[in-house]
């Protein structure tokens, strides 16, 4: 089955700094690469996704980069704000694999 | 609000009892997923439906767990003879389309506590 890892598991940054979270996966059939954000006590919500035919995608302060050869993709958040504090999950998908990573807890310090 | 709806929000029951949760997906979504999430962990896949057909079931899911989606709309997840280890948040999600690689929209979950 799919093996999904995230690094780091926790990340603290100063407000205004950038944050990068990396997701590595094992299934070479994966072709869809989303990131979900889960605030404390809330539901996971999609924040950005990318497909295997694209190398990078950006949406305002958030971007995702994909390296399909090396089987990893990364979430980049620039100009971090306190409301970015949450747990972020990657969930690479291919076929009938629906595996979420273990999560990265991001804390943005004022 | 036309998002994914789950009921009940909380369920407290004694060990050994049966429980049933309901999920109403976004109306035009034909894929529906069930996950389990424990504190500090990512959502763990349980099963999913394409319309009324259950296409995949996690090997982690014991035979005490069963899910249905009889008319391809709402779904129920039943746990029989509950155990302490079943305490968790049970999340439902839905997505549009019949092919893989679509964003999943989650409900607020049902928190199950086993006494």
């Amino acid at each position: 089955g799919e093996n999904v890892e995230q690094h780091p598991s926790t990340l603290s940054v100063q407000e205004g700094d950038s944050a990068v979270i990396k997701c590595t996966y094992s299934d070479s059939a994966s072709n869809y690469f989303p990131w979900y954000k889960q605030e404390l006590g809330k539901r996971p919500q999609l924040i950005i996704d990318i497909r295997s035919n694209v190398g990078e995608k950006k949406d305002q302060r958030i971007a995702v980069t994909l390296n399909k050869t090396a089987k990893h993709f990364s979430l980049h958040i620039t100009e971090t704000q306190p409301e970015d504090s949450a747990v972020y999950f990657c969930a690479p998908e291919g076929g009938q694999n629906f595996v979420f990573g273990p999560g990265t807890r991001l804390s943005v310090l004022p | 609000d036309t998002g994914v709806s789950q009921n009940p929000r909380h369920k407290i029951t004694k060990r050994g009892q049966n429980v049933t949760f309901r999920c109403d997906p976004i109306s035009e979504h034909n894929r529906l997923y069930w996950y389990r999430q424990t504190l500090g962990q990512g959502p763990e896949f349980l099963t999913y439906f394409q319309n009324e057909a259950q296409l995949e079931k996690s090997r982690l899911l014991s035979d005490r767990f069963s899910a249905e989606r009889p008319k391809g709309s709402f779904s129920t997840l039943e746990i029989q003879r509950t155990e302490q280890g079943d305490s968790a948040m049970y999340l439902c999600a839905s997505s549009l389309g019949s092919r893989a690689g679509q964003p999943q929209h989650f409900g607020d979950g049902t928190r199950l506590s086993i006494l």
Side-chain angles (χ1 to χ4, degrees):
Chain A
E2 174 86 282
N3 184 38
V4 180
E5 296 182 355
Q6 290 183 228
H7 295 280
S9 56
T10 59
L11 179 59
S12 294
V13 299
Q14 289 296 134
E15 183 176 354
D17 287 350
S18 296
V20 181
I21 303 170
K22 184 176 180 179
C23 178
T24 59
Y25 61 95
S26 60
D27 188 353
S28 56
S30 295
N31 56 14
Y32 175 63
F33 307 94
W35 284 97
Y36 291 85
K37 174 184 180 183
Q38 188 174 30
E39 296 177 63
L40 190 63
K42 300 283 184 67
R43 66 181 77 178
Q45 290 191 296
L46 179 81
I47 55 170
I48 196 165
D49 57 6
I50 195 169
R51 299 187 187 277
S52 58
N53 58 343
V54 178
E56 183 174 354
K57 182 178 177 181
K58 190 173 181 180
D59 182 4
Q60 298 183 0
R61 298 187 297 108
I62 296 172
V64 55
T65 57
L66 172 65
N67 184 327
K68 216 170 174 245
T69 304
K71 294 185 201 169
H72 65 74
F73 61 112
S74 296
L75 174 68
H76 305 254
I77 306 174
T78 59
E79 301 172 25
T80 52
Q81 300 169 3
E83 53 264 38
D84 295 328
S85 295
V87 180
Y88 292 82
F89 297 101
C90 63
E93 184 181 321
Q96 303 198 87
N97 284 324
F98 303 103
V99 179
F100 278 67
T104 296
R105 181 175 299 279
L106 173 65
S107 299
V108 179
L109 308 174
Chain B
D1 188 329
T2 57
V4 177
S5 176
Q6 291 188 246
N7 287 288
R9 292 293 308 276
H10 304 275
K11 180 69 177 178
I12 302 172
T13 192
K14 292 182 179 179
R15 182 166 51 93
Q17 297 295 304
N18 299 343
V19 294
T20 300
F21 311 140
R22 176 178 169 127
C23 173
D24 288 88
I26 294 172
S27 59
E28 63 269 26
H29 285 187
N30 47 14
R31 280 198 168 191
L32 185 148
Y33 312 79
W34 284 101
Y35 294 88
R36 178 172 61 192
Q37 187 175 31
T38 53
L39 196 62
Q41 304 295 318
E44 177 187 32
F45 172 74
L46 297 177
T47 189
Y48 92 100
F49 293 84
Q50 175 81 30
N51 299 313
E52 66 275 9
Q54 187 172 17
L55 296 188
E56 185 73 10
K57 191 173 175 181
S58 168
R59 283 170 287 178
L60 300 173
L61 210 61
S62 77
D63 57 6
R64 296 185 298 107
F65 288 71
S66 62
E68 293 184 341
R69 195 183 182 197
K71 296 182 180 179
S73 56
F74 74 92
S75 175
T76 58
L77 176 69
E78 181 182 17
I79 309 174
Q80 296 182 325
R81 305 180 303 282
T82 52
E83 302 173 355
Q84 293 281 357
D86 297 331
S87 294
M89 176 71 84
Y90 289 83
L91 293 167
C92 175
S94 67
S95 68
L96 183 64
S98 57
R99 63 185 179 99
Q102 298 297 322
Q104 295 186 31
H105 299 258
F106 284 83
D108 287 329
T110 293
R111 181 170 297 282
L112 175 64
S113 298
I114 306 298
L115 301 178

